[in-house]
Amino acid sequence: MSANDIQSRLNECGTRREKANGLFRTSKFSEALSEYKDIAAVIDSIVTSNSLDSGSELMQQCMIAKIPCELNGILCLLNLEKYQEASALADTLLGYDTIHFKRVQHAKLQYRKGVAEEKLGHREAALRFYETASKIDPQDSKIKSAYNRLKVTPEDVQELEEFLSTGKMPSFAKTPSNSEMNQRFPNLQEALEKSGLKMTNFGMNLG
């Protein structure tokens, strides 16, 4: 197959991906997933049948076309609550060379792997993936929120509940910086206000 033929096939895959995106946007996750899988399979067949070198420009074009389909496939699986499959597909993508990923794509992969792991009850693993995602894309508020939420341990929650009921300062907040407290407990100010407690009563200023 010539380079032009391969590019033509990839263009067709791009058109199909837009159709799959439309299915996803209308919450037809099963149908979208099936389409994403089919597109990825077509691209795999292009790579294998033409023995494309991993460092070639054509291989890069194939990966540019394939990765969004698989990333969206993970998202479909998460929405379908098929967390084990989502985690397994994420593992496949984690095995790809990172040169094929845009920065935002790599962050999405790490984040979605984290979501799957959290849903499977693997808290520590999820936290690691959220942390990696937050380092790759520190401006993504969704990633940051997930990371900060999971950083809070059950022991922290217990101490925080005691703080809200009795005013006893949690051990993790003996000498907190404003930014650290805001990151660990972004809703603490609101929770305190609802409880009728004042931040100044406990020498804290979250700013």
Side-chain angles (χ1 to χ4, degrees), residues 141-157:
S141 59
K142 182 165 59 176
I143 292 173
K144 185 185 297 184
S145 176
Y147 176 49
N148 288 335
R149 172 178 51 77
L150 220 60
K151 278 199 301 184
V152 180
T153 68
E155 291 76 17
D156 287 345
V157 172

Side-chain angles (χ1 to χ4, degrees), residues 60-72:
Q60 179 66 10
Q61 291 301 315
C62 286
M63 296 304 290
I64 287 173
K66 181 183 178 184
I67 284 173
C69 291
E70 294 187 317
L71 280 173
N72 291 345

Side-chain angles (χ1 to χ4, degrees), residues 1-14 42-53 56-63 65:
M1 187 181 294
S2 69
N4 286 338
D5 289 337
I6 291 174
Q7 191 59 60
S8 178
R9 293 289 302 279
L10 292 177
N11 290 340
E12 292 172 4
C13 288
V42 168
I43 296 170
D44 281 340
S45 70
I46 293 172
V47 171
T48 55
S49 63
N50 292 277
S51 302
L52 297 182
D53 182 76
S56 69
E57 178 63 26
L58 283 175
M59 181 63 171
Q60 179 66 10
Q61 291 301 315
C62 286
M63 296 304 290

